[in-house]
Amino acid sequence: MKIENQLEQIAKSYDRHVFEHGKKDGLSYDNLPDYITNHPDYPHRVKDNKSDWEEVRRKKLKDYLSPTQNMKFIHFGCNLSLMLKGYDKWASTYFGVDISKETIHLLYKYIVENSLSIGSLYCGSVHETPFAESYFDIGDCIGVLEYFERDFVLKVIQEFHRLMKPNGKLVLDIPNILSPSGRSAMMVEEYMGRPDKFDMLPQEFEDLLKDYFEIEDSDMISAKSRGESYMGSMCYYFLKCKK
């Protein structure tokens, strides 16, 4: 599939979600087809969904970025997190990027209704944005890179590197294709109309990062320090920009 078609498909999927479900956080995962729920990887996904994994990672993300009033924060693939994940309470100045026009429209409405002061919102792909070089102090990109193959992921990383200040901090995640839960999540995403195309093992992804960002921490590193193998569905990386 051409990258333009993939981007359009992702945008349409999230547009449809916002149009149909409004302020609900995430698509409905009820009534999944039998080929997913009967797959041997699916119970691992169910177990992950019942854990507090996401809440723990979100707290670690904020602690790492340590937003303050003098910081500009860029949220790549922002979805509805400004209104649903507490980003509107951060002290830093918020900038959001999302490919879904319905998402951006709903966020603008939320901003006006709640008299919020932000930087700006941009509707478009994360690999090409209108912001100036070295403009942002901190940023995150959660649940985005999973949709793309290596060549496009590299373009996205290069854009992130362009936008972040020297030593700026960025948190992002990738699907762990070694994990049964990760593989099951990829099946669900495809069913929802936005197929995951991510095709790299964690080490391959880390090799892609090395010219642009220093890996200060990751789920892989944390697990290794405990003498464990990391088998979560998504792997978080905590990065410092090299410039």
Side-chain angles (χ1 to χ4, degrees):
M1 181 183 292
K2 291 183 178 180
I3 189 61
E4 293 82 5
N5 295 339
Q6 175 74 347
L7 290 170
E8 183 180 6
Q9 189 167 345
I10 295 167
K12 286 181 176 179
S13 175
Y14 281 106
D15 281 348
R16 184 172 63 251
H17 162 63
V18 174
F19 181 75
E20 294 176 353
H21 300 281
K23 296 183 179 181
K24 292 183 180 178
D25 183 23
L27 293 172
S28 172
Y29 293 106
D30 297 331
N31 302 315
L32 292 171
D34 291 346
Y35 77 87
I36 293 178
T37 58
N38 291 336
H39 194 279
D41 287 340
Y42 185 70
H44 297 274
R45 173 176 170 75
V46 173
K47 181 179 179 181
D48 272 6
N49 287 344
K50 291 181 178 178
S51 73
D52 61 354
W53 179 85
E54 181 178 358
E55 182 179 346
V56 170
R57 288 299 176 275
R58 291 283 178 178
K59 183 180 185 304
K60 185 175 179 180
L61 180 155
K62 185 178 180 182
D63 288 346
Y64 177 73
L65 296 179
S66 300
T68 61
Q69 284 188 339
N70 63 337
M71 289 182 175
K72 294 184 180 72
F73 166 66
I74 178 69
H75 192 182
F76 298 105
C78 58
N79 208 310
L80 300 177
S81 296
L82 180 68
M83 53 194 284
L84 298 172
K85 299 290 186 181
Y87 286 82
D88 57 337
K89 304 298 192 298
W90 285 25
S92 51
T93 302
Y94 183 93
F95 294 77
V97 177
D98 201 276
I99 200 168
S100 163
K101 65 180 183 300
E102 295 292 342
T103 294
I104 296 296
H105 175 75
L106 187 56
L107 287 178
Y108 271 124
K109 182 179 179 181
Y110 177 78
I111 289 164
V112 171
E113 288 176 348
N114 291 274
S115 302
L116 299 180
S117 177
I118 69 162
S120 66
L121 299 175
Y122 170 69
C123 184
S125 172
V126 296
H127 82 293
E128 290 180 342
T129 70
F131 304 110
E133 183 174 345
S134 301
Y135 192 67
F136 296 103
D137 302 277
I138 55 175
D140 77 17
C141 179
I142 305 301
V144 174
L145 297 184
E146 64 199 75
Y147 299 120
F148 307 111
E149 296 173 327
R150 179 189 178 94
D151 289 348
F152 190 77
V153 170
L154 177 57
K155 291 181 181 179
V156 175
I157 290 171
Q158 289 170 336
E159 177 68 353
F160 291 174
H161 181 261
R162 183 185 75 82
L163 295 175
M164 301 305 298
K165 291 181 179 180
N167 298 318
K169 292 184 176 182
L170 176 69
V171 180
L172 53 78
D173 70 348
I174 62 169
N176 181 8
I177 61 178
L178 295 173
S179 161
S181 178
R183 293 192 297 267
S184 180
M186 294 174 85
M187 292 175 65
V188 172
E189 287 296 299
E190 183 167 11
Y191 170 72
M192 292 294 181
R194 45 177 194 261
D196 281 358
K197 298 292 186 179
F198 196 85
D199 58 354
M200 286 180 281
L201 295 171
Q203 186 58 58
E204 294 176 289
F205 178 70
E206 291 169 17
D207 289 342
L208 211 63
L209 286 172
K210 64 183 179 182
D211 290 336
Y212 305 98
F213 292 92
E214 176 186 346
I215 301 173
E216 295 202 299
D217 198 4
S218 74
D219 290 323
M220 295 288 182
I221 291 173
S222 296
K224 187 175 181 180
S225 70
R226 300 189 300 268
E228 303 171 357
S229 296
Y230 180 71
M231 294 304 288
S233 62
M234 304 294 290
C235 182
Y236 273 54
Y237 285 89
F238 301 82
L239 309 174
K240 183 168 70 173
C241 184
K242 292 181 178 181
K243 280 186 179 177

